[in-house]
Amino acid sequence: MANLRSSARRSRLPALGVGVLLVVGALAGATAYTSNQTAQTQQTLAQTLQAQLEATGYAKVESSTYQRGLLNSTQTMNVTLGKGTEDVALIVVNRIQHGPFPGFQAVGNAVVDTEVRFADPALQARVEKAFGNQKPTIRTVVGLGGGTSTHLDIPAGTLLEEGDGGSSTLSWQAMTGDIENSGLKSSTRLSWPEFKLASEDGVLTISGMALNGNAVKQNADDPLGVGEQILTLASATYDGSSDGAQDGLDLKDLKVSSISTLKDGFYNGGVQYNIGQLGFSGLGSGTQSLKNVQLHLSLGHLSQEPLARMVTTIQTLGQQLQDDPDAADLSETQKKALTEDALALLRAGPVFAIDRLSLTQTGGDIVLTGKAELPGAGELDAETAQMLASSPAMALGMVRVQAQLKAAEPALRELLGELSPDAAAGVQSLIDMGYLERQGNDLVSNLAFGGGEATINGQALGGGF
């Protein structure tokens, strides 16, 4: 699989991803007119887009010009995409038709048609050829109330790359998407049926990709908001070779979801990874196949006000670094604010949980759950926090951890046998020591840690911590 990554790095364009480039244009169109209609200056127009794009860490608006006409206006932005190595320069052009009947195509304040092209003419010519001379369309309708609705249609295409290490072909099916923004509410819908990268070392195919999400902010100054994002993938396969051995990956039915909620002044967030089937070969381990793999993580009881202030401070620092890359140090005011807010978060009692880590074997399920809390942080002050930071071992007395492993015995033996025959043989020793207990057909192990002491199934581990 390393060979596939190296062949991808031979070309700038596949590494950037055609879809990512065009979503940049969608965001540009969504902000171009709404910023202008409130009589913002040209500089603020660039800053508005910059705040949205640079939050990704991959884009920077270098300049922005605006030409306003009676019925039509044009905004042109020069954008750099990348993180310092092989950056790519883009030109984003927003052609704006003013309302209330913009171009007689809608009822609203404006219709914005966005074009994204490479500043390098040779690279732009290759992109146009890759799209078969069909142009992507990115259209944003600005409603009478100021909300925006952006629709993307990205045609299918193929790009051939030639390099010193060989050739590769990047191909993709048509992508469509819709981005809605109505002030405090926003939603995203993107669909990409297939993406394929083929090189002399192997073929990577990603099929049935979709992204759906929504977000709601409490007010205009809310830096966090709540909502849900769901990424689904029907399949991802890789067939290749490395040093004479076959490498392979076969993933099916991937769903990655993240959700955040706010209740009684506390944020709760979680991310869930669910994989229907995961098979891989090579890597010196032969062929492995896992089914129904689930990883569910959550972080809860985060106090709203200090968390919001921390995010705002970090965003301000990020903007400072964009304006002056050498200004890497926090000011004393920023240090004090971040310290006080971090302490407030800890005193509120955050809870980190592994809600589920599991997989299914022929013999049944293997499930791990657990949570970690900080009951000892309720009276934490700045001086104590600084002392604990310099001596992490002392902080263990503040932590309480509970975890449980529950596995069907045949499934556990089967999994360990696939990894190592010695590990499978060690199951009986763990049972004899009491670290695994039989409960019907299951083997169970309960871990508890608190006050610097750890137990497994009620038995103290020698020496403590």
Side-chain angles (χ1 to χ4, degrees):
M1 296 184 192
N3 286 338
L4 181 67
R5 291 192 293 268
S6 64
S7 62
R9 284 196 295 267
R10 284 194 285 262
S11 165
R12 290 185 298 169
L13 194 57
L16 290 170
V18 175
V20 174
L21 300 181
L22 294 164
V23 170
V24 167
L27 292 172
T31 60
Y33 184 81
T34 53
S35 294
N36 177 69
Q37 70 176 356
T38 55
Q40 299 295 325
T41 63
Q42 173 185 317
Q43 181 181 5
T44 304
L45 276 169
Q47 290 175 346
T48 300
L49 179 59
Q50 181 176 346
Q52 293 189 355
L53 299 184
E54 291 183 352
T56 67
Y58 287 93
K60 183 177 182 180
V61 178
E62 303 291 351
S63 64
S64 175
T65 60
Y66 192 84
Q67 295 179 329
R68 183 174 178 84
L70 180 62
L71 299 177
N72 301 278
S73 298
T74 302
Q75 183 191 30
T76 303
M77 288 172 288
N78 293 293
V79 178
T80 299
L81 202 66
K83 298 193 74 173
T85 57
E86 296 188 351
D87 289 351
V88 174
L90 303 176
I91 299 173
V92 179
V93 180
N94 290 307
R95 295 181 175 87
I96 305 164
Q97 301 177 72
H98 301 292
F101 302 103
F104 298 99
Q105 301 175 75
V107 177
N109 279 327
V111 168
V112 184
D113 288 302
T114 301
E115 177 188 357
V116 181
R117 64 177 185 267
F118 291 94
D120 182 346
L123 188 54
Q124 176 61 24
R126 292 183 58 219
V127 171
E128 292 174 1
K129 182 179 179 180
F131 280 123
N133 294 318
Q134 299 184 66
K135 286 191 174 183
T137 59
I138 306 172
R139 168 162 287 186
T140 299
V141 177
V142 184
L144 294 173
T148 62
S149 175
T150 300
H151 180 73
L152 300 85
D153 275 310
I154 313 303
T158 301
L159 179 69
L160 176 64
E161 285 291 313
E162 299 286 353
D164 295 338
S167 63
S168 62
T169 302
L170 174 70
S171 60
W172 59 92
Q173 294 184 7
M175 183 179 77
T176 60
D178 291 281
I179 302 171
E180 307 281 343
N181 191 327
S182 58
L184 300 180
K185 296 182 179 180
S186 63
S187 65
T188 302
R189 304 285 183 271
L190 296 174
S191 176
W192 203 348
E194 185 176 273
F195 168 95
K196 181 180 289 187
L197 178 60
S199 72
E200 297 173 356
D201 301 316
V203 179
L204 171 68
T205 304
I206 298 175
S207 303
M209 181 186 296
L211 175 66
N212 296 282
N214 61 80
V216 179
K217 291 188 174 184
Q218 305 300 306
N219 51 60
D221 297 324
D222 181 5
L224 296 169
V226 296
E228 183 178 23
Q229 303 289 330
I230 299 175
L231 171 69
T232 55
L233 196 65
S235 67
T237 61
Y238 172 66
D239 294 310
S241 60
S242 175
D243 298 326
Q246 282 297 118
D247 286 337
L249 171 69
D250 184 12
L251 181 151
K252 294 181 180 178
D253 299 325
L254 169 68
K255 180 179 180 181
V256 181
S257 58
S258 64
I259 185 170
S260 60
T261 60
L262 177 63
K263 183 178 181 181
D264 299 329
F266 291 94
Y267 280 103
N268 298 278
V271 59
Q272 298 184 356
Y273 299 85
N274 296 282
I275 303 174
Q277 181 175 318
L278 176 61
F280 51 91
S281 59
L283 304 176
S285 59
T287 300
Q288 303 290 331
S289 181
L290 305 174
K291 294 183 178 179
N292 193 26
V293 179
Q294 299 181 18
L295 173 60
H296 299 175
L297 305 173
S298 64
L299 182 60
H301 212 258
L302 299 172
S303 186
Q304 177 186 7
E305 294 184 1
L307 181 60
R309 289 194 299 265
M310 288 182 70
V311 171
T312 300
T313 300
I314 293 171
Q315 288 176 342
T316 300
L317 178 61
Q319 184 61 54
Q320 292 172 349
L321 291 175
Q322 292 290 348
D323 296 337
D324 182 6
D326 295 328
D329 294 332
L330 291 167
S331 69
E332 290 302 318
T333 301
Q334 289 173 327
K335 289 180 181 178
K336 182 178 179 181
L338 285 174
T339 299
E340 291 178 349
D341 289 330
L343 287 172
L345 280 178
L346 293 175
R347 293 190 196 107
V351 178
F352 170 74
I354 301 175
D355 298 308
R356 186 179 182 91
L357 172 57
S358 65
L359 56 88
T360 299
Q361 296 285 97
T362 304
D365 293 335
I366 301 172
V367 182
L368 173 68
T369 59
K371 66 177 181 179
E373 302 172 276
L374 294 170
E379 304 299 326
L380 192 63
D381 57 31
E383 183 178 351
T384 305
Q386 186 175 6
M387 179 181 65
L388 294 175
S390 62
S391 179
M394 296 177 60
L396 290 175
M398 300 171 54
V399 180
R400 183 170 63 204
V401 177
Q402 293 177 303
Q404 182 186 75
L405 172 67
K406 186 175 184 179
E409 185 171 347
L412 183 60
R413 291 184 180 276
E414 178 185 353
L415 176 64
L416 294 176
E418 292 176 355
L419 298 175
S420 166
D422 292 338
V427 171
Q428 187 59 49
S429 296
L430 293 174
I431 295 173
D432 294 339
M433 295 170 64
Y435 291 161
L436 287 172
E437 293 183 344
R438 282 196 174 93
Q439 294 182 4
N441 191 46
D442 296 326
L443 292 175
V444 178
S445 182
N446 290 290
L447 169 69
F449 176 82
E453 300 292 335
T455 62
I456 295 182
N457 289 335
Q459 300 183 52
L461 291 178
F465 287 82

